[in-house]
Amino acid sequence: MYDPDKRKIFSALCHAAILFSTLFMSVGIPIAMLFIANDPVVLENAKESINFHLNVWIYGIIITALLWLTFGLLFPLVFLGYALHWGLTIWAIASVLTKPDKPFRYPFIFRVL
């Protein structure tokens, strides 16, 4: 069967990649996991992590555009965006560490992969 400790570490690393860098490492680590891992749960977590990171980028662009268009009046959206980003990331890491046999699914995102 699959090693539960490796499953926990690799799955948590996929979701925690965005804590290292919000640009290239955030999707680079999960993409690397798609190639090196053969565990189906780790692969599902890597795909979900990539989808979440792409959503964070897109929502960041939308929030930035709204800030420019409203001359900063919608600045509280920045705090909401960061709270959701960090909260969902921490929730995902905690979930894959406590339930390693079940892939984590982020709510409120669109999935490309």
Side-chain angles (χ1 to χ4, degrees):
M1 202 76 185
Y2 298 103
D3 185 12
D5 291 331
K6 276 187 181 179
R7 180 179 275 177
K8 283 182 186 180
I9 291 170
F10 287 162
S11 294
L13 186 60
C14 288
H15 292 288
I18 203 158
L19 300 176
F20 302 126
S21 165
T22 55
L23 289 177
F24 301 111
M25 282 186 64
S26 67
V27 293
I29 291 173
I31 288 173
M33 288 297 167
L34 287 175
F35 290 110
I36 63 171
N38 60 357
D39 187 339
V41 174
V42 173
L43 294 175
E44 283 300 312
N45 278 315
K47 288 178 190 175
E48 189 71 7
S49 175
I50 292 168
N51 285 326
F52 176 66
H53 299 161
L54 292 175
N55 275 263
V56 167
W57 290 352
I58 291 169
Y59 292 142
I61 291 168
I62 292 170
I63 289 172
T64 302
L66 287 174
L67 281 174
W68 279 96
L69 290 173
T70 63
F71 301 105
L73 291 176
L74 296 177
F75 195 70
L77 278 179
V78 174
F79 295 113
L80 178 65
Y82 275 113
L84 284 172
H85 167 249
W86 287 97
L88 288 173
T89 301
I90 292 168
W91 181 25
I93 294 167
S95 178
V96 297
L97 291 177
T98 58
K99 296 180 270 185
D101 296 330
K102 184 179 174 192
F104 182 78
R105 298 284 288 184
Y106 287 100
F108 312 119
I109 68 167
F110 61 89
R111 289 168 177 83
V112 178
L113 300 177

